[in-house]
Amino acid sequence: MALKTEKYMLIRLFIILAVFLVSACNENGSEQSESVFSSEVQGETSTPVEVQEVSLLTDIQGQTTASLKGTDDNANGIRDDIDQLIAKKFSYTQEIKRAAEQEARALQQFMEVKTKEEALKAAEQIARATSCTFKRLSASIRDYEKRQALSKEIEVWTTNTKERLLKYLESSKLIGGASFMQPVEPVCDCINCEFGVVAASAQQNDCEQAKFRVVFSNGELTSPKQAFTALNELALSLGNSHADQGITYDLAYNYSDEAFKQLSQSSDQRLWYVDLARQVYNWKYKVNTPELNEHVQKYREAILHGQKVLVVSHSQGNFYTNLAQQMLANLKPTIFMEGFGIFGVATPATHVGGKGTYLTNHLDIITSVPSSLPANWTLRRADSGKIVDHIGSIPAHHFSDTYLSPYYDIRPEVIKGIKQELSKLKKPPQVTKSGSMTVTLNWDTGNSNDIDLHVFEPDKTHVYFSSKTGNSGYLDVDNRQGFGPEHYYTDCQKLQVGEYLVRVQYFSDSSTPARQVTTTVTISIPGSTRTFISKLDKSNQSSSFVNLAKVVIGRTGGRLNYQIIPMVAASE
């Protein structure tokens, strides 16, 4: 059944938003078009590319009567109609064609997942595919429109029926609250290789930790693909270093389950958006606090490693990040908060956590939210300096299409603001050391409550509190008083290939009977991370050991490959 009903069109309008680059409604509701192409922006020549823009106000073409998988006669993991789309519009070079095919495979795979772990792995493939597209179309300004069109249109075609769109949203919900690390090379699938799950791979420089970690926290109604696109656009604009210190990038993904449900019942997307923002502000629409746990643990992990962390938050993502900042500040033992900062973009909140700064343009719909921070930038065209006054308040809110668009003057101001916030951060003391594989254990109970981290290395060496030095790595922090952390890291000079087993043990408690404890274990490898939350009750367990995951390290052609294999469910 073709996706033609108004309510599902509204959802698509917010998932993709490509139509707003071509035709948008002004504040009075009339349709006007504005060319935002500039002839020269920041030293790069920019001309309109001949790529048909996606219009979500017309019927989406492609296979609309087939199953979720559709028809794939050549069995390459891509629906035949999307193969035809790529051949027609994204084959101007073989590299671009392969990048488009990689995106199509990743999105199809993500749409078909059934479990959270499958969704996490498939989302990591979307991250790789998006990074590949940006690698192939890497000119910050000249290639901007090409990479945006490629990513948006393939996502539109992938989800072109009600069944496909709803399954895509179900898959997105599975990864709500997850954290994703910047993919490592190779991000592009190899030529003539069968498509499959590609394990994270590492090189020697993956052992060298960057001084900054910049995290993008997305707003409401953002698909994983959109969030990864925004993260890559941010990384491309900001660069790989600041003040001669390296930057790594993460995504803190927020899913909008209740928002999607409300939108599907709305007939006026603009009034709905304002109403939703008001509900969020008044705490009638709750931030899903459990989803923040993994984000907070990743922030804590980075700070313990001595990294300075800046979260760039867009839209309702500012509510998530402000709350995460409060949770981080209340953790025990105390975290060095001078190493954590926030830069808000289009924030509906009354403040930016940690006394950070923000940027909101004068057309942004977020200014309609009561008590939100006021607009502090008048949006102008980058080429002429002309004030923009009729692109519409919803498209003016979009992160990639407005705030990081080379066609508006706000893009350099966003980057300037982010750099200023990075410069304010102070280096945290390094509590835990970093390696290509790290395992961090924290728990929620103090007063002489002892939970222990155990790692069995490939040669069966048991690394734990009584034997802290292994043949591959070290237990560099052992906490016996409560809360954590306990921490294991691999030494890049001694790293063994093979299987690492990660487990936790409830060792002792000063209280009788022993208290129930909630443990959080974060395992990080190049390009991938998993968080495991477990409840331990020493009095009711026949064994106080819990096996959490295996980390398998292999070597292919001189390159190390990493994969995390859960033995219990990752955090829900």
Side-chain angles (χ1 to χ4, degrees):
M1 176 180 178
L3 184 58
K4 297 179 180 178
T5 62
E6 183 177 26
K7 66 180 182 179
Y8 290 107
M9 262 312 177
L10 286 171
I11 293 177
R12 298 182 66 79
L13 284 167
F14 280 85
I15 292 177
I16 312 300
L17 285 169
V19 67
F20 292 124
L21 285 176
V22 184
S23 177
C25 294
N26 67 5
E27 296 299 307
N28 296 320
S30 61
E31 288 190 357
Q32 299 185 34
S33 297
E34 176 182 10
S35 173
V36 293
F37 300 128
S38 59
S39 58
E40 184 173 337
V41 185
Q42 294 184 358
E44 287 189 25
T45 300
S46 177
T47 56
V49 294
E50 294 186 4
V51 178
Q52 177 184 340
E53 291 291 350
V54 182
S55 175
L56 300 182
L57 300 180
T58 59
D59 289 341
I60 302 301
Q61 300 178 9
Q63 296 177 6
T64 59
T65 58
S67 63
L68 187 69
K69 286 180 174 291
T71 304
D72 181 13
D73 287 341
N74 62 359
N76 68 343
I78 304 171
R79 289 201 327 253
D80 291 341
D81 58 323
I82 298 179
D83 265 331
Q84 294 168 11
L85 168 72
I86 292 171
K88 179 180 179 181
K89 301 178 68 172
F90 303 114
S91 296
Y92 34 91
T93 71
Q94 281 300 307
E95 285 187 339
I96 301 305
K97 179 176 183 290
R98 287 194 290 268
E101 290 172 342
Q102 184 174 341
E103 290 218 13
R105 292 190 189 100
L107 289 168
Q108 182 68 31
Q109 183 190 51
F110 182 73
M111 189 170 58
E112 296 177 13
V113 301
K114 296 180 181 179
T115 67
K116 178 172 182 177
E117 182 58 28
E118 289 177 354
L120 289 169
K121 289 180 178 179
E124 288 173 347
Q125 295 309 306
I126 296 176
R128 286 186 64 250
T130 305
S131 293
C132 180
T133 295
F134 274 73
K135 181 178 181 178
R136 300 309 187 202
L137 295 167
S138 59
S140 179
I141 296 172
R142 185 180 63 249
D143 291 334
Y144 169 82
E145 194 167 345
K146 290 181 180 180
R147 59 179 176 263
Q148 291 291 324
L150 188 156
S151 293
K152 290 173 183 176
E153 191 155 357
I154 290 177
E155 187 180 30
V156 168
W157 278 57
T158 300
T159 60
N160 69 338
T161 68
K162 176 180 177 180
E163 178 189 10
R164 290 167 182 159
L165 175 60
L166 292 181
K167 186 60 179 69
Y168 187 67
L169 296 179
E170 288 178 11
S171 299
S172 302
K173 183 178 180 180
L174 287 172
I175 64 170
S179 293
F180 295 91
M181 301 172 68
Q182 185 178 24
V184 296
E185 293 288 356
V187 294
C188 295
D189 288 344
C190 57
I191 303 172
N192 299 323
C193 291
E194 294 184 0
F195 179 73
V197 174
V198 180
S201 109
Q203 304 179 73
Q204 184 64 31
N205 60 7
D206 289 304
C207 299
E208 300 172 6
Q209 177 178 267
K211 301 300 182 183
F212 291 102
R213 184 171 295 272
V214 173
V215 183
F216 177 66
S217 177
N218 64 277
E220 299 294 343
L221 294 168
T222 302
S223 70
K225 171 58 186 162
Q226 276 189 312
F228 286 125
T229 297
L231 177 66
N232 276 268
E233 202 68 63
L234 176 62
L236 189 62
S237 301
L238 186 57
N240 295 323
S241 65
H242 172 69
D244 296 324
Q245 296 181 331
I247 302 175
T248 57
Y249 293 89
D250 283 2
L251 169 66
Y253 183 65
N254 307 306
Y255 180 69
S256 317
D257 184 37
E258 193 63 32
F260 277 120
K261 290 178 182 177
Q262 291 184 22
L263 176 57
S264 69
Q265 300 169 2
S266 172
S267 60
D268 187 324
Q269 70 268 28
R270 186 179 186 280
L271 292 178
W272 162 83
Y273 197 94
V274 174
D275 182 60
L276 173 66
R278 286 172 175 160
Q279 289 185 60
V280 173
Y281 173 74
N282 292 317
W283 293 96
K284 294 179 181 179
Y285 176 83
K286 295 289 187 181
V287 169
N288 190 353
T289 304
E291 285 193 359
L292 283 173
N293 288 333
E294 187 169 335
H295 298 172
V296 171
Q297 292 304 322
K298 286 298 295 181
Y299 302 152
R300 186 214 297 241
E301 178 190 55
I303 292 171
L304 290 175
H305 284 167
Q307 286 185 300
K308 294 172 277 190
V309 178
L310 180 70
V311 184
V312 179
S313 300
H314 176 243
S315 189
Q316 275 79 7
N318 284 277
F319 284 112
Y320 279 86
T321 308
N322 283 354
L323 185 54
Q325 191 267 344
Q326 295 177 32
M327 294 169 65
L328 195 63
N330 290 324
L331 287 177
K332 296 180 181 180
T334 303
I335 295 294
F336 184 81
M337 292 303 295
E338 291 88 346
F340 180 84
I342 302 172
F343 182 78
V345 177
T347 176
T350 59
H351 71 287
V352 179
K355 298 181 180 179
T357 55
Y358 76 100
L359 201 60
T360 298
N361 75 73
H362 76 290
L363 294 178
D364 199 311
I365 193 173
I366 215 70
T367 59
S368 301
V369 178
S371 301
S372 64
L373 289 169
N376 57 358
W377 190 260
T378 300
L379 190 65
R380 298 175 184 270
R381 286 177 48 166
D383 57 349
S384 65
K386 177 184 175 182
I387 294 177
V388 179
D389 58 7
H390 56 265
I391 63 168
S393 58
I394 294 175
H397 181 65
H398 198 258
F399 187 77
S400 295
D401 290 348
T402 297
Y403 283 92
L404 288 185
S405 169
Y407 306 126
Y408 300 121
D409 69 340
I410 200 168
R411 176 179 177 270
E413 198 65 21
V414 170
I415 301 307
K416 176 183 175 182
I418 292 173
K419 289 182 176 180
Q420 289 174 341
E421 289 302 311
L422 287 173
S423 297
K424 293 178 185 177
L425 298 177
K426 297 180 180 179
K427 178 175 171 52
Q430 186 173 8
V431 177
T432 59
K433 295 183 179 180
S434 61
S436 59
M437 168 187 165
T438 62
V439 185
T440 307
L441 162 67
N442 294 284
W443 61 99
D444 65 349
T445 306
N447 191 20
S448 298
N449 180 269
D450 191 6
I451 310 297
D452 288 317
L453 176 64
H454 295 251
V455 177
F456 290 84
E457 296 177 339
D459 62 359
K460 309 304 180 185
T461 299
H462 182 189
V463 182
Y464 68 119
F465 62 88
S466 287
S467 180
K468 297 179 181 179
T469 300
N471 291 326
S472 285
Y474 306 89
L475 184 77
D476 59 332
V477 180
D478 174 36
N479 185 298
R480 300 182 181 183
Q481 299 305 311
F483 298 115
E486 297 215 350
H487 183 264
Y488 170 88
Y489 74 99
T490 54
D491 185 331
C492 291
Q493 303 302 319
K494 305 194 313 181
L495 188 66
Q496 301 176 67
V497 298
E499 183 178 284
Y500 294 74
L501 173 64
V502 178
R503 62 167 46 167
V504 293
Q505 179 192 22
Y506 197 146
F507 185 76
S508 66
D509 188 19
S510 60
S511 298
T512 304
R515 294 164 288 180
Q516 186 183 71
V517 176
T518 300
T519 63
T520 302
V521 174
T522 301
I523 302 175
S524 296
I525 58 176
S528 185
T529 187
R530 293 288 186 276
T531 297
F532 300 89
I533 298 177
S534 306
K535 291 187 181 297
L536 304 183
D537 189 340
K538 189 174 177 67
S539 61
N540 293 334
Q541 290 180 309
S542 56
S543 172
S544 56
F545 285 98
V546 177
N547 293 330
L548 297 178
K550 297 177 181 178
V551 178
V552 179
I553 302 178
R555 189 184 299 274
T556 304
R559 185 182 295 273
L560 293 173
N561 300 298
Y562 295 70
Q563 188 173 9
I564 302 171
I565 302 175
M567 302 176 71
V568 297
S571 61
E572 298 296 334

